[in-house]
Amino acid sequence: MAGGKRSNGEGSVYQRKDGMWIGAAYVLTTTGHRKRVTVSATTESEAWKKLRKKIADSDAGIPVAAETWTLESYLKYWMSTVAATKRPRTIEGYGVVVRRHLVPNLGTKRLHRLTAQEVRTFITRLRNDCRCCAEKIDANRPKDAQRCCAKGKCCKAVLSDRTIQQIHAVLRNALAHAMREEVITRNVARLVQVKSPRYDVNRGLTADQAKALLKAADKDRLKALYVLALYLGMRRGELLGLRWKDIDWDKWDEPCAEHADEFCEDCAEQHAPSLQIRQTLQRVGTKLVFVPPKTDRSERVMPLPLLVAWALVDHWDGQDDEAEAAGDRWEESGLIFATVLGGPIDPTYLRSSWYPIRKRAGLDNVRFHDIRHSCVTLLLRLGVPPHIVRDIVGHSNIEVTMMIYAAVSLEDKREALKRLTDELG
């Protein structure tokens, strides 16, 4: 640079032996201290341009990264510190995304140099590339089982929109934390939009189908579980994590003054037992773990209708018989819905009870979770206010409750239009 002596903080530019021009200056870092940084260019003027941009950003209070993290090293740090405070299933899901998608594709990128274009290219590749080919899944299969890229016939097994949304969300959350720790100055993942998945909302069962389900479950040892699922809209993990001590039976069977020692159904209804959801059972890896309910609203207290209370009483009697039959092999877990030896029921294995029941009821394509949707739909159709339905089933907000009911049937549309034509003549 021609002219007199440069002032402090202006930096300097020099040419290396290989012909590249290097600019150097002390600028503000994310730790709050100043650090010597360098830029490179093929010409002196370009080097000065880049250097002045660094200095201008520093003067404007925009710091540079203090550490040269790669995305892989930062994700490992983030998983061990921040993500480790999440729910077990959430941690497990984050780990799968990091190991299978983020590290193999973006792990070597410098964290502070990661660009929105690189993230967008990564997302586009996930959306279009066959997983068998990209992850060499087919190539690692035995020769007689290969059927895709290893044989030159791509199966086009691309990731779903929902999976791509989850991958993008994990990257966005990790970079957001890096910003809060002032490791980077912006979250480039937020600059990349991903397609929102379309959810096929199943409204669940009709009243007749629900009755058929209860009839099909009448002789099953877990009949009370299906009664609770249908009448209270409980989640699978909530049902399997329910304990006898979570039910308050006080005063339910007390005789009233009017009927002396006789059982009075009206009084029993008035002093109905209540149920409190305090935990949920999940499979995480190879272990079954009890965790707090999904959201704050999920931790709720509900009165039990008489029909549900009697179903639980019958189930209690049946469990006593199973404990007696098991003898010393009985595991006293305190769970309402347990195995024949008293231990927790693996959520995955619940299907061994559910599949035969739904087949007997003629509901072959219905998922267990659709029973929960059925509770929401039936209550709303009976005119129960949405905010009460929300609190019964433990939705985080009322929008979730109404989304389940939003998938109207052809009969609903026909009825609505008929009412309109009747009104307008």
Side-chain angles (χ1 to χ4, degrees):
M1 182 176 179
K5 183 179 179 181
R6 292 184 296 273
S7 60
N8 288 336
E10 189 176 351
S12 61
V13 170
Y14 60 91
Q15 190 174 27
R16 287 192 321 216
K17 291 181 180 181
D18 62 0
M20 289 294 293
W21 287 87
I22 305 299
Y26 282 89
V27 297
L28 181 68
T29 70
T30 52
T31 62
H33 300 90
R34 301 187 76 80
K35 171 186 174 182
R36 186 175 184 268
V37 298
T38 60
V39 296
S40 60
T42 56
T43 65
E44 181 181 10
S45 60
E46 184 67 19
W48 273 113
K49 183 179 178 180
K50 289 183 177 180
L51 186 62
R52 285 171 180 149
K53 175 67 167 60
K54 290 280 187 183
I55 295 172
D57 287 345
S58 178
D59 292 341
I62 303 175
V64 299
E67 295 188 54
T68 54
W69 295 87
T70 63
L71 183 62
E72 179 179 7
S73 59
Y74 188 79
L75 286 173
K76 288 180 179 178
Y77 158 75
W78 177 70
M79 284 292 297
S80 64
T81 55
V82 183
T85 63
K86 305 292 185 180
R87 292 166 63 90
R89 283 291 293 276
T90 302
I91 298 172
E92 185 180 38
Y94 283 179
V96 171
V97 169
V98 169
R99 289 191 307 273
R100 293 189 60 184
H101 302 289
L102 297 181
V103 169
N105 292 281
L106 298 172
T108 59
K109 303 290 184 183
R110 293 291 181 183
L111 186 63
H112 66 285
R113 292 181 180 174
L114 185 65
T115 66
Q117 183 181 10
E118 289 171 331
V119 175
R120 189 175 296 108
T121 301
F122 162 63
I123 295 296
T124 301
R125 194 163 59 245
L126 288 178
R127 184 177 294 116
N128 297 319
D129 288 356
C130 167
R131 289 298 92 199
C132 288
C133 305
E135 299 177 20
K136 295 183 172 55
I137 295 173
D138 195 52
N140 294 328
R141 292 186 178 119
K143 289 288 185 181
D144 58 347
Q146 292 175 344
R147 59 180 182 272
C148 183
C149 56
K151 288 197 170 187
K153 296 181 181 180
C154 183
C155 67
K156 300 296 183 183
V158 297
L159 297 177
S160 67
D161 291 336
R162 174 57 177 159
T163 301
I164 292 174
Q165 185 187 55
Q166 290 172 333
I167 295 169
H168 178 260
V170 173
L171 178 61
R172 187 183 67 242
N173 291 343
L175 296 183
H177 186 264
M179 274 192 66
R180 287 192 291 271
E181 290 193 329
E182 296 188 330
V183 175
I184 56 176
T185 58
R186 65 174 184 165
N187 185 344
V188 294
R190 290 182 62 87
L191 304 178
V192 179
Q193 293 183 337
V194 296
K195 183 179 179 180
S196 298
R198 294 183 62 183
Y199 294 102
D200 184 16
V201 179
N202 190 324
R203 298 182 66 193
L205 311 177
T206 64
D208 288 341
Q209 288 174 325
K211 292 175 183 177
L213 170 63
L214 293 177
K215 183 178 180 181
D218 189 58
K219 302 301 182 182
D220 193 273
R221 64 179 296 271
L222 295 178
K223 173 189 174 181
L225 181 144
Y226 297 102
V227 172
L228 279 171
L230 186 58
Y231 279 83
L232 302 182
M234 293 176 66
R235 301 176 178 92
R236 179 179 63 174
E238 293 172 346
L239 289 162
L240 298 180
L242 200 60
R243 298 161 296 187
W244 289 113
K245 68 178 183 180
D246 296 328
I247 299 180
D248 183 5
W249 300 96
D250 289 352
K251 298 182 180 180
W252 182 51
D253 57 354
E254 288 184 2
C256 65
E258 182 179 350
H259 298 86
D261 294 334
E262 297 180 7
F263 180 81
C264 172
E265 188 167 312
D266 291 338
C267 296
E269 186 77 55
Q270 185 179 355
H271 302 102
S274 60
L275 176 152
Q276 183 171 4
I277 296 175
R278 297 189 176 105
Q279 66 176 17
T280 181
L281 180 66
Q282 292 182 350
R283 169 166 284 283
V284 181
T286 59
K287 298 180 179 179
L288 294 177
V289 296
F290 293 98
V291 297
K294 186 176 180 180
T295 64
D296 289 342
R297 284 194 180 274
S298 298
E299 192 168 344
R300 57 201 188 276
V301 179
M302 293 173 291
L304 296 181
L306 275 183
L307 184 147
V308 178
W310 283 121
L312 285 170
V313 170
D314 291 341
H315 180 75
W316 201 340
D317 291 339
Q319 192 176 84
D320 284 343
D321 294 339
E322 290 176 343
E324 185 177 350
D328 294 339
R329 296 181 299 158
W330 180 258
E331 176 187 349
E332 189 51 66
S333 62
L335 294 171
I336 293 179
F337 302 112
T339 66
V340 292
L341 296 179
I345 297 175
D346 189 321
T348 306
Y349 295 152
L350 184 61
R351 63 170 66 113
S352 63
S353 167
W354 167 238
Y355 285 177
I357 288 175
R358 74 176 187 180
K359 184 175 182 178
R360 290 197 298 271
L363 306 171
D364 287 341
N365 296 321
V366 176
R367 306 168 304 163
F368 182 85
H369 193 71
D370 293 334
I371 304 176
R372 175 172 165 82
H373 289 177
S374 306
C375 177
V376 174
T377 301
L378 293 171
L379 286 172
L380 288 172
R381 297 198 78 166
L382 289 171
V384 179
H387 69 280
I388 296 179
V389 178
R390 174 202 62 194
D391 289 346
I392 288 174
V393 298
H395 282 150
S396 57
N397 55 64
I398 205 164
E399 286 77 14
V400 177
T401 308
M402 297 310 297
M403 181 184 72
I404 294 173
Y405 191 66
V408 295
S409 66
L410 184 62
E411 289 73 19
D412 293 328
K413 296 175 185 178
R414 184 179 290 112
E415 176 63 24
L417 293 175
K418 182 180 183 301
R419 291 170 62 185
L420 177 62
T421 54
D422 290 344
E423 179 68 22
L424 298 180

